[in-house]
């Protein structure tokens, strides 16, 4: 009898191990597939983006001509002095053979229209430069930039290029003389938006996102945690708390645009808060993030072992002391993780921001909660829709920046959890 | 004396209980023995506990005397833990749990409306089955209770109470050099003694122990048992245990529970050597449970 | 205890922020806004932003904030009322509607300045790799309408039977009809329907007659674009259409002229009625599928918001909207000289727009 039993068991073994083996293969396949998708995403964005971290610069010998600048003692008039002419003159001096008006225009269009601002700032910082000649690297126009980076074919017919043969010739000469080179694109990381790709930067959007997220964190975390604690630890389980729970779960699944409409109606129209402000953006994101934080916090509270609660109650702690002294510190890592994941979701949202005017062209870097601002994903959206070729790589680069922030936030969530997690 | 009369009545009941008859009838599960003592610390009269529709404890009457260890034994699911947790109202945290009857501490019904559970639990401390120190330092574990109750005003007083409590719990010598290490870093037996120290730091009158040794090895168990023996000098102790040997080693009185009924109460020697009730005898002789 | 501290800290922080916010928003509602707020069309957005940036960097005022809300959405905001919480300028890729003007009037926005800034061409583009094909608006109508006149000539419509361009006109290639274009929410789509589909449909005399007799029927014939796969909605992102055309040489795409201008090495404009969409052809009106672009200014704000006059001046300057101005570099087709002069004068005198003129 026992022999036959063990025979039956042995016969079935192969099948059982086979099932296990198959399941392992499915698992490995699933992981491999998701890794491939991820790698594909990163590679495709990365290959588009990496060139954006470099920028083509042209070296000019800028002569601060006192005749063009006029009165250099008065700071007011200096700001509007004719620095573009200073830049143009320096460029023209490098190519003395260029004489006709249209050719001059073609030549000066090689340098960014924003170059004069850099020269101006340099001069305002050091007015003693008047009458001096200085070697300066100035950003090239985006068309030149695209050509140098190889995003535009030099071979196509003249009429179909944005740079004509004359301009190509000048660029080649600049290249030969070593007066044109790709350098690290500091502009991209330090300035706000611009309609000129070579002058556009991500910093304005990053600041906007930063202020928005600060507001979101300050509101959603305390409110969310307090709501979760009350619901989980104090509220009686009855029909009302059931209704609230169902509603919170539903809210977590509501499309984000709805929160934008709500924000428009409540914060802008009713409270009269300013349009396009990170403050309002943060409040809208708070509405969106709250359900996520509440759900995560409740889960974290539930996961605190009952033995800790009993221990606290057993020595005579009140309900509130039990929660705040023992349960909350243990649940906090889980709550923080939930909050950070909710925040990361909020960081990537554009739809609700559209309604409250944060999808906008904003050049000045915001310096406070009520300054007009935009946000990282909005910047990506706006650049993706811009006709200039130069914005293609900027779009990818901005996506890289956004992904970096998301990864950093998620990593922070992991670190916080590891650091504060207590064993029991 | 009323007590004498009650005892006499219970003695008489024994005559109706045949040792041979099957004992499924509730009639045959009336408490026998000596549930009532003189000058008790806690008294329980006709306590019934319901979990929703389930009637978990039937009409239990039992006293806990001063400076005694009373052991509650019985097969799994007999309601002994449930009953223990009624004694400091730990069952309050369960929404659908309902308790009738009277449980008094020093003559005051602890289920009266004007009784606050917070001071009650300071008076009736509890040690749990699984050692559950707070995820804090050894020092903070012991100091926590006195701090929240305002029993200590400054560091010196706290140090003192931590030291005496740990000494009473027999843990001082082992941990005095590492009071700042987490309580969870101790061994299981040490953790359980830490929990006892934490409980006695608040200065309770009664200590409830819910199978305090079931997660411990025999050596740690022996230490706890010695400790319990010492503690009864100052406290009344009610201990729930699965181990009849433990009950016989540490307790003066023993109560035997069966399916929600208190079957028999008596001196430990009597219950183990000469049980009055058939069910008790079956259990202590190992025929059942 | 630590948990309590953290929690209390956060609570205090939240309370402080909320206090600061209430204070702040009151302060802001009371005080004037120090930057110009512009809303409106996504077609005008690339031009208005260039002007705003130029203005912000040189004029000594804050850079205006420009929201891309779409023409209709922009008008709604613009006509919301007078006061700093309402925008100062609305960009539009079509003329203001009479109903919008009346809504403005009702909300107290009585004095409005209308400025035309130039023209935008709508281009039917194809990959450089394909051979150019000449097309008429009638053919486009037949290719893209959901319902077309019965091929036999009867005065009734049938579901669009045409699969290839050759089916419509034997001189066209036998390629599958495949057009990528913007969704109904887009201003470009509105303009395409108006400038191509309506005109193309009106080539049939009986449909043209419907325009007077049965406007709804006319609209349902001309405005309904087929949904059987020949017209592919490619989202609002014109860049995406450009990339897809590059990958699929037999397809066509509908987008604004500025995208053709910026991507001349990859795509070519298809001649419509024999006219190739070039800068010059649109400017002198030869290329038919073009529309004017406008912006509208709330005159009550001109003296309240700092820099309004200077911004208008910058926009209406020759270096911006002139023949060689920087806007033309971005793909805006300038108005003829006399039209520019006339609007420039309007800007200087802040000429009032009357709803009756619309």
């Amino acid at each position: 009898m026992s022999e036959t039993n063990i025979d039956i068991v042995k016969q079935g073994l192969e099948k059982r191990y086979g099932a296990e083996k198959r399941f392992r293969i499915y698992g490995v396949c699933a992981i491999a597939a998701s890794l491939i998708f991820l790698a594909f995403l990163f590679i495709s964005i990365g290959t588009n983006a990496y060139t954006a971290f470099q920028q083509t610069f042209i070296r000019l010998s800028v002569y601060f001509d006192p005749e063009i600048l006029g009165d250099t003692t008065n700071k007011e008039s200096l700001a509007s002095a004719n620095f573009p002419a200073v830049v143009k003159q320096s460029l023209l001096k490098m190519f003395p053979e260029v004489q006709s008006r249209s050719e001059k225009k073609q030549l000066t269009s090689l340098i960014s229209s924003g170059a004069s601002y850099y020269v101006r700032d340099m001069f305002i910082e050091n007015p003693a430069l008047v009458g001096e000649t200085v070697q300066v690297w100035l950003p090239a126009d985006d068309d030149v930039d695209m050509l140098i980076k190889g995003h535009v074919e030099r071979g196509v017919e003249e009429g179909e290029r944005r740079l004509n043969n004359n301009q190509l010739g000048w660029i080649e000469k600049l290249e030969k003389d070593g007066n044109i080179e790709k350098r690290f694109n500091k502009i991209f990381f330090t300035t706000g938006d611009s309609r000129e790709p070579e002058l556009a930067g991500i910093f304005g959007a990053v600041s906007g996102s930063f202020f928005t997220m600060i507001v979101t964190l300050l509101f959603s975390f305390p409110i969310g945690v307090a709501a979760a604690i009350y619901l989980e630890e104090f509220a009686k389980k009855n029909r009302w708390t059931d209704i609230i729970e169902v509603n919170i779960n539903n809210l977590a699944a509501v499309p984000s645009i709805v929160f934008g409409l709500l924000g428009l109606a409540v914060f802008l129209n009713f409270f009269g808060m300013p349009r396009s402000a990170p403050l309002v953006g943060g409040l809208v994101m708070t509405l969106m993030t709250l359900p996520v934080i509440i759900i995560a916090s409740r889960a974290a509270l539930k996961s605190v072992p009952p033995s800790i609660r009993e221990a606290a109650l057993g020595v005579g702690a009140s309900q509130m002391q039990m929660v705040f002294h023992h349960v909350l510190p243990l649940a906090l890592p889980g709550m923080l993780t939930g909050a950070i994941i909710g925040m990361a979701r909020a960081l990537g949202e554009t739809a609700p921001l559209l309604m409250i005017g944060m999808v906008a062209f904003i050049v000045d870097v915001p310096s406070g909660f009520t300054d007009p601002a935009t946000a990282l994903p909005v910047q990506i959206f706006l650049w993706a829709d811009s006709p200039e070729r130069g914005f293609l790589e900027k779009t990818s680069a901005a996506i890289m920046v956004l992904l970096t922030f998301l990864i950093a936030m998620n990593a922070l969530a992991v670190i916080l959890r590891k650091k504060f997690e207590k064993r029991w | 004396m009323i007590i004498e009369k009650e005892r006499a009545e219970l003695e008489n009941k024994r005559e109706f209980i045949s040792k041979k008859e099957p004992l499924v009838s509730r009639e045959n599960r009336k408490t026998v023995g000596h549930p009532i003592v003189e000058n008790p610390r806690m008294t329980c009269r006709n306590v019934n506990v319901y979990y929703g529709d389930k009637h978990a404890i039937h009409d239990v009457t039992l006293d806990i005397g001063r400076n005694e260890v009373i052991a509650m034994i019985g097969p799994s699911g007999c309601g002994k833990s449930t009953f223990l947790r009624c004694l400091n109202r730990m069952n309050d945290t369960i929404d659908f749990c309902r308790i009738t009857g009277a449980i008094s501490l020093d003559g005051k019904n602890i289920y009266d409306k004007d009784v606050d559970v917070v001071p009650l639990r300071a008076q009736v401390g509890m040690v749990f089955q699984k050692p559950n120190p707070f995820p804090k330092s050894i020092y903070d574990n012991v100091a926590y209770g006195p701090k929240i109750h305002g029993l200590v005003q400054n560091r010196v007083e706290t140090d003192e109470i931590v030291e005496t409590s740990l000494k009473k719990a027999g843990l001082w010598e082992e941990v005095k050099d590492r009071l700042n290490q987490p309580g969870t870093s101790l061994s299981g037996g040490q953790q359980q003694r830490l929990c006892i120290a934490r409980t006695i730091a608040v200065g309770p009158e009664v200590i409830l122990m819910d199978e305090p040794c079931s997660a411990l090895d025999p050596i740690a168990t022996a230490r706890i048992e010695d400790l319990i023996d010492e503690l009864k000098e100052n406290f009344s102790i009610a201990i729930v245990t699965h181990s009849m040997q433990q009950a016989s080693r540490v307790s003066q009185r023993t109560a035997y529970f069966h399916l929600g009924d208190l079957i028999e109460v008596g001196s430990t020697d009597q219950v183990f050597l000469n049980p009055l009730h058939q069910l008790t005898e079956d259990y202590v002789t190992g025929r059942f449970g | 205890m630590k948990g309590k501290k953290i929690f209390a800290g956060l609570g205090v922080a939240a309370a402080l922020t909320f206090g600061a916010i209430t204070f702040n928003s009151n302060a802001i509602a009371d005080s004037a806004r120090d930057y110009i707020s512009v809303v409106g069309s996504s077609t005008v957005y690339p031009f208005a932003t260039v002007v705003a940036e130029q203005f912000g960097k040189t004029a000594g005022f804050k850079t205006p904030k420009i929201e891309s809300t779409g023409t209709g959405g922009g008008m709604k905001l613009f006509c919301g009322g007078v006061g700093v919480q309402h925008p100062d300028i609305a960009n539009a890729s079509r003329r203001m509607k009479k109903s919008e003007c009346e809504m403005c009037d009702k909300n107290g926005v009585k004095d409005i300045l209308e400025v035309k800034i130039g023209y935008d061409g709508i281009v039917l583009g194809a990959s450089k790799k394909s051979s150019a094909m000449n097309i008429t608006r009638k053919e486009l109508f037949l290719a893209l309408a959901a319902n077309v006149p019965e091929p036999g000539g009867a005065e009734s419509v049938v579901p669009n039977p045409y699969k290839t361009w050759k089916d419509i006109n034997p001189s066209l290639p036998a390629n599958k009809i495949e057009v990528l274009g913007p969704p109904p929410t887009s201003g470009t789509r509105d303009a395409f329907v108006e400038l191509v589909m309506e005109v193309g449909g009106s080539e049939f005399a009986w449909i043209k007659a419907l325009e007077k007799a049965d406007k709804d029927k006319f609209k349902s014939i001309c405005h309904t674009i087929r949904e059987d796969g020949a017209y592919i909605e490619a989202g609002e992102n014109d860049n995406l259409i450009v990339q897809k055309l590059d990958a699929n040489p037999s397809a066509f795409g509908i987008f604004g002229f500025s995208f053709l201008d910026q991507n001349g090495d990859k795509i070519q404009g298809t001649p419509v009625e024999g006219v190739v969409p070039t800068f010059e052809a649109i400017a002198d009106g030869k290329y038919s599928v073009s529309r004017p672009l406008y912006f509208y200014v709330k005159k009550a704000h001109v003296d309240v918001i700092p820099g309004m006059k200077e911004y208008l001046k910058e926009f209406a300057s020759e270096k911006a909207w002139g023949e060689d101005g920087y806007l033309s570099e971005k793909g805006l087709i300038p108005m003829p000289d006399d039209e520019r002069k006339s609007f420039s004068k309007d800007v200087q005198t802040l000429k009032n727009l009357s709803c009756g003129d619309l």
Side-chain angles (χ1 to χ4, degrees):
Chain A
M1 197 61 194
S2 67
E3 263 185 19
T4 48
N5 263 355
I6 199 74
D7 285 344
I8 294 168
V9 168
K10 276 180 180 163
Q11 277 164 17
L13 267 187
E14 201 178 327
K15 211 174 158 192
R16 279 150 67 181
Y17 287 136
E20 182 175 330
K21 208 169 173 182
R22 276 198 304 282
F23 181 76
R24 282 170 186 237
I25 291 170
Y26 298 149
V28 169
C29 287
I31 288 181
S34 48
L35 280 182
I36 286 168
F37 285 131
L38 255 185
F40 182 74
L41 173 79
F42 278 107
I43 289 168
S44 72
I45 291 172
T47 46
N48 276 325
Y50 79 98
T51 51
F53 298 120
Q54 286 200 318
Q55 166 74 40
T56 308
F57 282 77
I58 297 175
R59 180 162 58 191
L60 289 184
S61 308
V62 175
Y63 171 56
F64 290 99
D65 192 338
E67 273 177 41
I68 300 178
L69 293 175
D71 178 14
T72 55
T73 51
N74 184 351
K75 282 221 163 174
E76 293 278 305
S77 67
L78 205 54
S80 53
N82 198 353
F83 283 99
V86 173
V87 174
K88 281 178 187 166
Q89 200 190 39
S90 321
L91 191 60
L92 290 172
K93 225 164 45 193
M94 293 175 83
F95 296 92
E97 71 275 14
V98 176
Q99 287 302 335
S100 81
R101 195 175 164 274
S102 70
E103 275 195 343
K104 276 183 178 173
K105 195 163 184 285
Q106 287 169 9
L107 176 59
T108 52
S109 75
L110 293 183
I111 203 121
S112 166
S113 60
S116 61
Y117 307 130
Y118 291 94
V119 174
R120 180 185 70 188
D121 293 346
M122 195 172 115
F123 185 78
I124 287 175
E125 213 167 90
N126 185 9
L129 288 172
V130 66
E132 302 274 324
T133 304
V134 191
Q135 298 265 321
V136 198
W137 286 96
L138 291 171
D141 190 64
D142 56 313
D143 292 328
V144 179
D145 190 40
M146 290 294 106
L147 183 87
I148 296 291
K149 285 172 181 169
H151 294 312
V152 176
E153 294 284 324
R154 294 191 193 207
V156 292
E157 271 179 60
E158 190 176 7
E160 293 154 8
R161 277 187 255 120
R162 288 186 57 80
L163 296 168
N164 61 26
N165 286 344
N166 274 343
Q167 289 171 311
L168 273 189
W170 293 324
I171 292 169
E172 270 155 23
K173 181 163 183 287
L174 283 169
E175 275 181 310
K176 215 170 65 205
D177 298 346
N179 284 330
I180 198 163
E181 75 178 36
K182 284 188 282 183
R183 317 179 116 208
F184 175 68
N185 190 355
K186 209 178 105 191
I187 298 169
F188 181 71
F189 293 102
T190 51
T191 63
D193 197 6
S194 170
R195 286 289 297 132
E196 303 299 329
E198 73 272 16
L199 301 177
I202 196 78
F203 189 61
V206 169
S207 311
S209 276
F210 173 76
F211 287 123
T212 309
M213 287 299 113
I214 291 283
V215 174
T216 309
L217 181 68
L218 282 182
F219 281 96
S220 63
F221 191 61
I223 298 176
V225 169
I229 290 175
Y230 183 78
L231 282 175
E232 195 60 39
E233 304 286 341
F234 294 99
K236 288 255 179 317
K237 304 275 173 284
N238 57 26
R239 192 182 302 173
W240 290 110
T241 44
D242 283 350
I243 291 173
I244 290 172
E245 183 165 350
V246 168
N247 275 313
I248 288 172
N249 291 340
N250 279 342
L251 274 181
V254 162
S256 53
I257 186 88
V258 174
F259 292 104
L261 287 165
L262 187 68
L264 175 69
V266 175
F267 300 123
L268 294 189
N269 294 346
F270 186 74
F271 285 114
M273 290 183 181
R275 253 185 104 75
S276 313
L279 169 63
V280 183
L283 288 173
V284 168
M285 294 303 184
T286 300
L287 297 179
M288 210 185 78
T289 321
L290 259 182
V292 179
I293 294 186
I294 293 177
I295 291 170
S297 299
R298 291 187 68 176
L301 287 170
K302 272 197 190 110
S303 72
V304 173
S307 64
I308 295 293
R309 295 163 198 271
E310 286 182 337
L313 291 178
V315 294
S318 68
Q319 181 88 352
M320 167 119 172
Q321 285 170 325
M322 172 193 89
V323 171
F324 283 91
H325 296 171
H326 301 289
V327 177
L328 190 59
L330 291 176
L332 211 52
M335 292 175 167
L336 283 174
T337 311
I340 289 173
I341 288 168
M343 300 272 292
R345 188 188 152 201
L347 181 66
E349 276 293 344
T350 50
L353 298 181
L354 187 74
M355 290 290 124
I356 53 163
M358 285 182 80
V359 179
F361 176 71
I362 289 155
V363 174
D364 301 327
V365 175
S367 58
F369 293 103
T370 50
D371 285 355
T374 180
L376 265 174
V378 173
Q379 193 66 75
I380 291 167
F381 168 76
L382 288 174
W383 283 350
D385 214 17
S386 300
E388 288 82 3
R389 184 72 60 81
F391 277 119
L392 275 180
E393 57 172 30
K394 302 276 177 207
T395 308
S396 296
I399 294 173
M400 292 269 283
V401 172
L402 181 65
L403 283 178
T404 312
F405 274 95
L406 290 177
I407 290 169
M409 284 175 79
N410 285 323
L412 185 70
V414 173
I415 291 167
L416 280 177
R417 200 170 46 208
K418 283 266 180 299
K419 192 165 153 60
F420 291 115
E421 198 164 53
K422 296 230 169 80
R423 308 249 164 239
W424 49 76
Chain B
M1 287 294 291
I2 299 170
I3 292 172
E4 289 301 323
K5 204 175 140 203
E6 280 182 78
R7 269 186 190 174
E9 274 175 23
L10 287 167
E11 292 286 346
N12 292 338
K13 270 187 192 155
R14 201 191 160 211
E15 289 168 17
F16 299 106
I17 301 165
S18 157
K19 286 195 175 186
K20 305 286 173 274
E21 272 175 40
L23 294 155
V24 282
S25 149
R26 175 126 289 146
E27 271 304 304
N28 291 337
R29 291 201 242 148
K30 290 256 162 62
T31 307
V32 299
H34 314 285
I36 317 287
V37 298
E38 272 179 77
N39 190 20
R41 177 68 79 185
M42 294 190 85
T43 59
C44 310
R45 292 289 177 270
N46 309 102
V47 174
N48 285 280
V49 180
Y50 306 85
Y51 286 122
D53 294 334
K54 194 183 163 231
H55 196 169
I57 301 281
H58 299 273
D59 209 28
V60 170
T61 293
L62 180 66
D63 284 356
I64 295 164
R66 290 168 196 271
N67 302 80
E68 72 164 4
V69 178
I70 179 165
M72 298 175 186
I73 59 170
S76 294
C78 67
K80 54 194 189 298
S81 285
T82 302
F83 179 71
L84 189 77
R85 296 164 71 93
C86 292
L87 299 179
N88 69 344
R89 293 181 59 178
M90 282 301 271
N91 284 332
D92 283 15
T93 52
I94 302 164
D95 280 340
F96 49 86
C97 178
R98 196 160 53 83
I99 294 158
T100 65
I103 299 175
S104 305
L105 175 67
D106 296 326
K108 172 77 185 157
N109 187 350
I110 62 170
Y111 281 91
D112 273 355
K113 279 219 166 68
D114 61 338
V115 170
D116 189 343
V117 292
V118 168
L120 170 71
R121 287 182 189 144
Q123 284 174 292
V124 184
M126 191 151 189
V127 176
F128 298 87
Q129 181 170 7
K130 205 179 139 212
N132 57 353
F134 300 129
K136 298 173 186 291
S137 71
I138 294 169
Y139 183 93
D140 286 342
N141 258 288
V142 182
Y144 179 72
K147 267 186 191 160
I148 59 168
H149 292 298
L151 302 177
V152 287
Q153 302 305 327
N154 52 43
R155 181 83 192 187
V156 179
E157 287 177 27
T158 316
D159 286 350
E160 200 184 304
I161 210 163
V162 168
E163 186 176 338
T164 50
S165 304
L166 283 171
K167 274 180 176 159
K168 278 189 204 158
L171 195 60
W172 175 251
E173 290 303 319
E174 291 159 60
V175 300
K176 63 181 176 189
D177 300 326
R178 46 177 178 145
L179 290 175
N180 287 323
Q181 285 184 14
T184 42
S185 67
L186 299 171
S187 73
Q190 287 173 324
Q191 287 190 18
Q192 195 62 296
R193 277 181 281 148
L194 178 62
C195 292
I196 293 172
R198 180 177 69 191
T199 307
I200 58 185
V202 191
E205 296 166 15
V206 182
I207 301 175
L208 309 176
M209 296 185 174
D210 190 357
E211 299 185 35
C213 301
S214 63
L216 304 181
D217 63 54
I219 295 168
T221 303
R223 292 220 52 174
I224 302 274
E225 287 175 1
D226 291 347
L227 177 60
I228 292 171
D229 210 42
E230 289 164 27
L231 290 174
K232 76 167 194 289
E233 303 299 321
N234 300 310
F235 309 99
S236 300
I237 296 171
I239 176 170
V240 163
T241 177
H242 262 308
S243 154
M244 282 178 282
Q245 289 84 350
Q246 184 170 62
S248 63
R249 282 194 297 265
V250 300
S251 69
Q252 285 76 57
R253 288 169 75 224
T254 296
Y256 173 68
F257 284 77
H258 182 91
L259 293 173
D261 289 291
L262 176 57
I263 300 296
E264 179 166 354
V265 192
S267 79
T268 301
D269 291 344
Q270 177 254 307
V271 169
F272 282 102
L273 300 175
N274 186 21
L276 301 175
H277 200 289
Q278 177 67 45
L279 281 168
T280 317
E281 185 173 320
D282 287 353
Y283 184 71
V284 298
T285 55
R287 249 180 279 160
F288 169 71
Chain C
M1 312 268 166
K2 204 167 93 204
K4 192 178 183 180
K5 269 183 208 145
I6 293 171
F7 197 75
L10 277 173
V12 168
L16 281 179
T17 345
F18 200 77
I21 282 158
T22 6
F23 173 76
N24 251 336
S25 58
N26 285 343
I28 275 173
D30 291 340
S31 76
R33 174 153 48 76
D34 61 349
Y35 56 89
I36 301 168
S37 168
V38 185
V39 295
S41 163
S42 53
T43 314
V44 184
Y45 173 87
F47 309 124
T49 46
V50 180
V51 179
E53 188 174 356
Q54 195 69 24
F55 168 78
K57 287 202 166 127
T58 53
F61 294 99
K62 278 202 170 178
T63 311
K65 178 191 87 185
I66 299 180
E67 282 182 53
S68 168
T69 61
T71 304
M75 286 294 176
K76 225 172 171 178
L77 288 166
F78 178 76
C79 293
V82 172
V84 285
Q85 69 272 34
H86 301 290
D88 313 310
I89 296 174
N91 296 324
S93 57
R94 54 164 170 78
R95 213 167 175 209
M96 187 185 244
K97 287 181 191 160
K98 195 166 182 187
S99 60
E100 288 164 345
C101 186
E102 282 158 359
M103 178 171 72
C104 266
D105 198 59
K106 211 178 77 198
N107 290 329
V109 186
K110 299 208 183 292
D111 298 323
I112 299 169
L113 164 71
E114 180 185 59
V115 186
K116 192 197 264 189
I117 58 168
Y119 296 91
D120 177 36
I122 291 175
V123 174
L124 188 70
S127 166
K128 270 262 136 90
K129 294 168 203 153
S130 68
S131 54
M133 87 181 184
N134 197 344
I135 201 163
T136 65
R137 281 181 279 183
K138 185 178 173 186
E139 285 157 4
L140 273 174
F141 168 75
L142 290 175
L144 296 178
N147 297 300
V148 295
E150 207 251 300
E155 292 192 358
S156 63
V157 287
V158 293
N160 197 327
Y162 306 112
K163 294 271 178 271
T164 66
W165 294 102
K166 206 180 173 68
D167 294 342
I168 299 169
N169 180 345
S171 68
L172 292 174
N175 289 336
K176 206 173 98 188
I177 298 172
E178 205 175 356
V179 178
L180 297 139
T185 48
S186 157
T188 311
R189 166 82 166 257
D190 290 346
F192 180 78
V193 166
E194 188 184 326
L195 297 167
V196 175
M197 302 298 284
E198 282 193 13
V199 176
S202 299
E203 298 269 318
F204 296 89
W206 66 273
I207 295 181
K208 192 173 170 60
L210 274 180
E211 190 178 358
K212 293 248 161 58
D214 186 352
K215 191 124 198 180
D216 288 342
K217 182 116 189 264
F218 175 76
K219 274 195 175 164
S220 86
I221 293 174
C222 295
H223 287 208
T224 319
I225 301 238
R226 64 199 287 188
E227 287 172 345
D228 56 0
Y231 183 85
I232 303 150
E233 283 182 6
E236 291 267 16
N237 190 331
D238 292 356
N239 253 325
L240 205 67
I241 300 182
V242 170
Q243 284 174 23
K244 281 184 178 162
L245 290 185
D246 197 40
N248 182 1
S250 71
F252 291 87
I254 298 165
F255 41 78
F257 174 74
S258 51
F259 282 85
L260 177 64
D261 192 39
Q262 293 282 344
N263 295 283
D265 59 333
K266 280 188 183 160
I267 46 174
Q268 57 179 345
T270 306
V272 176
E273 267 124 34
V275 184
V276 181
T278 59
F279 194 87
E280 293 76 17
I282 300 171
D284 58 22
K286 279 190 191 123
Y287 182 76
S288 52
V289 195
S290 82
R291 56 176 163 173
L293 304 176
Y294 297 88
F295 68 82
Y296 293 86
V297 183
K298 207 175 278 178
K299 280 169 69 178
H301 285 193
V302 170
D303 291 321
V304 181
I305 306 294
M308 283 280 279
K309 275 196 184 127
E310 290 77 359
Y311 176 74
L312 296 179
K313 210 173 117 197
E314 174 79 34
F315 219 129
S317 67
E318 280 297 303
K319 74 171 165 135
W321 72 6
E323 295 275 1
D324 295 321
Y326 55 74
L327 287 179
S328 73
E329 270 172 41
K330 290 285 172 189
L332 180 77
I333 317 291
M335 294 177 281
D337 283 350
D338 48 339
E339 217 178 351
R340 279 209 307 279
K341 270 197 196 111
S342 138
F343 276 107
S344 171
K345 216 177 103 213
D346 287 358
V347 167
Q348 271 163 26
T349 57
L350 297 175
K351 187 181 167 218
N352 223 1
L353 172 78
S354 138
C355 291
D357 296 345
L358 295 171

